[in-house]
Amino acid sequence: MRLRINFGALKKIKNKIKGEFGDHADASDLVDDIVRAAGQRCLSKTIKRTPVDTGQLRKNWEMHEPVKRGFNHTVDIENPVEYATCVEFGHRIRHRQTVGRYVPQIGKRLVRPYVEGKYIKPVYMAMKSVEEIKEELPDIAEERMIKKFLEIFP
């Protein structure tokens, strides 16, 4: 069986893609779109995993625009709430406390100078979401590339 490939058709496709993405044909806009879509999915998953007490932690998640550094395209997802890292990675409850200090969360003054050592378990809401997105990234990229090529080749 013999197979023939028409390279002339590939040249037409290459020229059309080059015209769409510029002379460098680095497809930077397409990569940014893929990174933005992956970031949005990661943000959504992280918000859903974030535990709710007052709702402050959950509502403060934010995503920045994708940034290109060299060959790498990155997107930052952050939570500026002071205790976000404690919830994400877990922490120990402080052992030494000032007797007589008023604690508004419990509505009482402290009676003992310490609390038995307790460990607040980590939630890993962002870490788990990032790991899931790493697995989904090929599907996200394929979805975005098909959408872009359908725009170029109607």
Side-chain angles (χ1 to χ4, degrees):
M1 183 171 142
R2 193 174 207 178
L3 202 61
R4 287 193 181 183
I5 300 171
N6 184 355
F7 288 101
L10 289 176
K11 284 182 184 177
K12 286 179 188 176
I13 291 172
K14 178 185 168 192
N15 290 336
K16 195 157 189 171
I17 291 171
K18 203 172 194 179
E20 180 67 27
F21 295 120
D23 291 336
H24 301 292
D26 65 353
S28 189
D29 291 340
L30 177 61
V31 175
D32 278 348
D33 188 40
I34 293 167
V35 170
R36 189 176 293 110
Q40 285 291 348
R41 286 192 193 177
C42 187
L43 179 65
S44 176
K45 288 173 180 277
T46 303
I47 289 171
K48 287 177 186 172
R49 281 194 170 101
T50 303
V52 178
D53 183 20
T54 63
Q56 191 72 13
L57 186 63
R58 184 175 273 190
K59 75 178 181 181
N60 276 292
W61 283 106
E62 53 190 43
M63 183 183 93
H64 301 284
E65 284 296 309
V67 176
K68 182 180 178 187
R69 293 182 185 107
F71 293 109
N72 296 323
H73 291 255
T74 60
V75 65
D76 292 333
I77 296 172
E78 69 174 344
N79 195 321
V81 175
E82 184 179 316
Y83 56 89
T85 54
C86 295
V87 176
E88 174 76 15
F89 300 110
H91 66 283
R92 290 205 169 274
I93 295 175
R94 192 168 61 188
H95 292 285
R96 294 281 170 203
Q97 300 181 7
T98 307
V99 175
R101 185 179 70 118
Y102 180 74
V103 180
Q105 291 87 350
I106 60 174
K108 297 179 181 178
R109 293 194 179 280
L110 297 174
V111 181
R112 290 185 279 157
Y114 65 91
V115 173
E116 289 298 323
K118 291 184 181 176
Y119 181 71
I120 304 299
K121 291 184 180 179
V123 177
Y124 296 124
M125 60 255 178
M127 299 291 284
K128 288 177 183 175
S129 299
V130 168
E131 289 304 315
E132 281 183 15
I133 292 300
K134 282 181 183 177
E135 292 174 12
E136 295 175 17
L137 194 56
D139 295 331
I140 295 169
E142 181 180 7
E143 176 186 308
R144 293 296 168 158
M145 284 190 283
I146 289 171
K147 182 180 173 187
K148 188 65 175 180
F149 285 123
L150 288 176
E151 288 174 13
I152 296 171
F153 304 105

